[in-house]
Amino acid sequence: MDEWGFLRDCGSDVRRALESAPLDDRNFAGWADDALRERSLSRGAVVGRSGLNHTYAYQILSGSRSPTRDKLLQVCFGMGLGVEDASDALERGGLSALRPDRRRDVVIAFCLERGMGVTCCDHLLWEQGERPLTGGAALGGPLANS
Amino acid sequence: MDEGEVLHALVLDDAYKVERVLSEREGLRTELVTLGGAGLFVRKYFAGGLAAPGLWGTLLGVDEPGLPRVETVYRLPDRLAVVLEYVDGESLEGLVTREGPLSLPRAVRLMDGICSAAQALHEHGIIHRDITPKNVIVDGGGCAHLIDLGIARLRSDEAGRDTTLLGTWGFAAPEQFGFAQTDARSDVYSLASVLAYMLTATWPGERGFDPALGLAAVPGEVVGLIGRARSLEPSARPQSAAELMAELRSCVEGSGTAGQDDREGPAAVPAVELRPKGDRSLAPHSLHVWMELAPTVLALLRAPRSVRKTVALVFAVVLLVVFAAGLLGMPEQVGRQVGIAQESLAAISYLVLMAWWILLPSYELACAVAGVGEYAGLDRGALPRRLLLRVAEELFAGFAIMLALQILAQAAGLV
């Protein structure tokens, strides 16, 4: 998709460019709020499915905590997002989007697209020799109690 | 909160659908919400220091027609949520803006509802602290409801002063600005301000408020009651909302205007003085400040002359004249002319007084350290003793004079 196509039609006037641009400066919390409403999702369900401490997950959704990339990905799993929306969520959270040229990201994207949960994703990551999202706690592995 | 509590609170929170956000300010968000087919509710979120779970827990059991019913209270990890009955109607501010000053009988009817609601709060140990026309809703039946307990607090007898300085200028009692703890009498001040607003359609504290009250078609007794209930000194006000309402009814019945519903023109009743002759009790703060400044001037008169002390003496004399004039109500008149409310003058006078009491001992200490004036030539061992004796002497003389003046003033009926 040509995201910058609008620049071709605005000539030399930057104001026209700004008027045509699909501006959206919502942070993750604002975006998540709208996304939950559009998808008729409850925060309780998202928090429960994320596998995170409930208070921490709530704070991420409300914007009062800035999570690591893996923690935000857990929230994306809780929200049942696809890879495009998850990448959007990561960027709004000030983190790097999922990249198809990174092995670990490919496994995570594969799980997101198929609607898998956090635990299943961690199993696949472990099998592929990659670091799980939860640090191995969900799998009961060596990192379970770290 | 444990995991289960967070989940339960989130399920409860998500059950309400937000129709619109009514207001949002620091730490407080108010939404209009629905719950399935159960109708409209108002949900308030209180963050941080504004959360008062004890207060809302108390209100859960209050059943008063003039107060919105508290449906549920629950805690989220970062805030407290309260769901209240939605009161449909127009704000008193909107009503008066639209219709102008209300007739006395109508204002009294509305005051009856507002005072009942305030009294119910006070009986449960709750002070509203923000009774304003914006927070009074008049329903379709003409009944008043008191809403928005956003800054209400539970009365605490131990606290010396409220730690949160909030309120609406013109309606909030002076003690809400940090000089003392608020109690039911603070709400009485606000109730009287609301009554005055209903009768004049003028915001208290605005330049035209006093003249408007003087010209309003209300009996002088009602104007006098408003003045008393808006005294700076809480002990001079009616001591409860119920007492205020009883006195208001008594004033109205006594003046024979109880049955009249037609508002007379503003020129029908002669202007009434806000300060009835012989009543000087409206300036107790000025007398108090004057008495506390007198010992300071005495101490300065006894000190050796120097440039600094001469300047300070002139300053003290000017202040004495200003505060003595408070006995005659002049600061209020001066304040009206320059557009400063009497409350501002009181606040300024207290700040000046506090600064003065800090400066005087500091000045003595500086003289002692520098070895000037009566400290000149003293050896190191004698300096602290002389300094302590001097400050104690001045304080003792000062308090003795203050006590004597207080006794004289009370005997003369000035305080």
Side-chain angles (χ1 to χ4, degrees):
Chain A
M1 195 165 70
D2 185 7
E3 290 179 314
W4 297 95
F6 67 92
L7 282 179
R8 283 191 286 276
D9 303 323
C10 65
S12 58
D13 189 351
V14 71
R15 280 173 293 186
R16 277 186 64 190
L18 286 168
E19 280 164 22
S20 319
L23 298 176
D24 180 3
D25 57 0
R26 287 175 296 172
N27 60 9
F28 172 74
W31 178 88
D33 222 21
D34 294 336
L36 288 172
R37 205 174 306 117
E38 284 161 17
R39 292 165 169 76
S40 299
L41 288 172
S42 72
R43 283 175 298 168
V46 170
V47 160
R49 286 199 297 259
S50 70
L52 290 167
N53 170 272
H54 293 171
T55 301
Y56 185 50
Y58 168 85
Q59 289 169 334
I60 294 173
L61 286 171
S62 66
S64 58
R65 294 289 286 266
S66 298
T68 60
R69 193 169 183 264
D70 283 355
K71 297 282 187 268
L72 194 48
L73 279 167
Q74 283 184 249
V75 174
C76 292
F77 273 100
M79 291 175 71
L81 301 179
V83 64
E84 296 276 353
D85 286 335
S87 291
D88 194 7
L90 285 168
E91 285 180 325
R92 289 180 188 278
L95 302 159
S96 58
L98 290 166
R99 292 172 57 119
D101 56 353
R102 287 186 189 160
R103 199 162 183 276
R104 189 169 180 266
D105 282 5
V106 168
V107 176
I108 293 169
F110 177 88
C111 296
L112 282 167
E113 280 294 301
R114 279 149 186 78
M116 294 179 179
V118 172
T119 309
C120 287
C121 181
D122 273 357
H123 272 295
L124 280 181
L125 285 167
W126 188 275
E127 277 178 8
Q128 297 301 318
E130 298 291 343
R131 189 182 76 253
L133 288 174
T134 62
L139 304 175
L143 301 173
N145 295 321
S146 64
Chain B
M1 292 177 75
D2 64 34
E3 302 269 278
E5 286 169 347
V6 174
L7 217 49
H8 176 72
L10 283 174
V11 166
L12 193 52
D13 201 52
D14 286 340
Y16 294 95
K17 183 182 166 215
V18 180
E19 299 297 329
R20 73 171 186 271
V21 178
L22 296 174
S23 71
E24 186 156 22
R25 57 179 197 243
E26 196 179 328
L28 178 59
R29 179 183 165 99
T30 305
E31 300 169 336
L32 188 64
V33 298
T34 51
L35 177 66
L40 281 171
F41 299 93
V42 171
R43 177 167 62 188
K44 288 183 171 296
Y45 287 117
F46 299 90
L50 290 180
L55 182 148
W56 293 105
T58 303
L59 278 171
L60 268 171
V62 175
D63 182 20
E64 162 64 37
L67 290 172
R69 193 177 51 250
V70 177
E71 302 286 343
T72 185
V73 180
Y74 56 92
R75 183 176 279 285
L76 291 163
D78 59 349
R79 49 192 173 166
L80 184 75
V82 179
V83 179
L84 298 146
E85 172 193 9
Y86 172 68
V87 179
D88 193 13
E90 183 180 22
S91 75
L92 184 60
E93 186 186 23
L95 176 70
V96 172
T97 302
R98 192 166 47 78
E99 295 189 9
L102 305 183
S103 67
L104 181 60
R106 194 173 176 201
V108 170
R109 273 199 305 276
L110 290 171
M111 279 299 287
D112 195 20
I114 305 168
C115 288
S116 290
Q119 184 66 27
L121 287 176
H122 299 160
E123 283 167 5
H124 285 81
I126 297 168
I127 317 300
H128 188 288
R129 299 202 302 169
D130 199 18
I131 299 177
T132 69
K134 214 173 281 225
N135 292 334
V136 173
I137 300 293
V138 182
D139 64 22
C143 297
H145 300 257
L146 187 54
I147 65 166
D148 199 357
L149 280 84
I151 61 168
R153 59 175 284 275
L154 284 167
R155 186 177 54 232
S156 165
D157 293 332
E158 289 83 33
R161 67 169 65 165
D162 291 348
T163 53
T164 313
L165 305 179
L166 298 168
T168 302
W169 184 255
F171 292 90
E175 56 269 25
Q176 280 185 240
F177 298 99
F179 298 114
Q181 191 188 14
T182 55
D183 57 25
R185 298 171 300 179
S186 311
D187 280 349
V188 167
Y189 183 105
S190 305
L191 288 166
S193 303
V194 167
L195 173 61
Y197 172 77
M198 282 196 275
L199 297 171
T200 61
T202 307
W203 206 259
E206 277 182 1
R207 203 179 277 241
F209 175 69
D210 288 334
L213 196 56
L215 289 171
V218 294
E221 294 91 337
V222 175
V223 176
L225 173 61
I226 290 171
R228 261 191 306 113
R230 295 186 79 238
S231 295
L232 294 174
E233 178 58 49
S235 60
R237 306 171 197 159
Q239 298 294 288
S240 68
E243 193 178 316
L244 173 68
M245 193 60 220
E247 288 194 38
L248 177 60
R249 275 199 209 96
S250 170
C251 289
V252 169
E253 284 160 13
S255 68
T257 58
Q260 295 173 17
D261 229 316
D262 295 325
R263 188 163 58 89
E264 296 177 11
V269 178
V272 176
E273 284 181 24
L274 288 177
R275 193 192 298 271
K277 282 185 170 50
D279 177 11
R280 293 176 179 234
S281 61
L282 292 179
H285 67 284
S286 300
L287 177 62
H288 222 194
V289 169
W290 182 65
M291 289 191 294
E292 288 170 7
L293 262 184
T296 308
V297 174
L298 177 74
L300 282 170
L301 285 171
R302 291 179 57 205
R305 288 191 177 279
S306 72
V307 173
R308 278 179 297 169
K309 285 208 170 167
T310 305
V311 170
L313 184 60
V314 169
F315 179 59
V317 167
V318 168
L319 281 177
L320 266 180
V321 169
V322 170
F323 293 128
L327 280 173
L328 306 171
M330 281 178 63
E332 187 184 317
Q333 293 156 18
V334 169
R336 273 206 300 273
Q337 285 173 3
V338 299
I340 302 174
Q342 189 176 7
E343 291 86 344
S344 301
L345 282 174
I348 292 167
S349 68
Y350 274 116
L351 283 171
V352 167
L353 177 69
M354 283 164 64
W356 197 254
W357 274 110
I358 293 167
L359 283 174
L360 181 67
S362 304
Y363 180 77
E364 290 292 335
L365 180 63
C367 289
V369 168
V372 298
E374 67 182 274
Y375 303 100
L378 287 178
D379 60 43
R380 278 181 165 255
L383 261 178
R385 201 163 138 256
R386 173 64 66 90
L387 173 64
L388 276 171
L389 271 173
R390 185 94 167 100
V391 172
E393 208 175 43
E394 286 167 7
L395 285 178
F396 176 75
F399 282 123
I401 291 173
M402 196 166 74
L403 188 61
L405 287 172
Q406 180 99 18
I407 293 169
L408 281 172
Q410 280 178 344
L414 293 174
V415 290

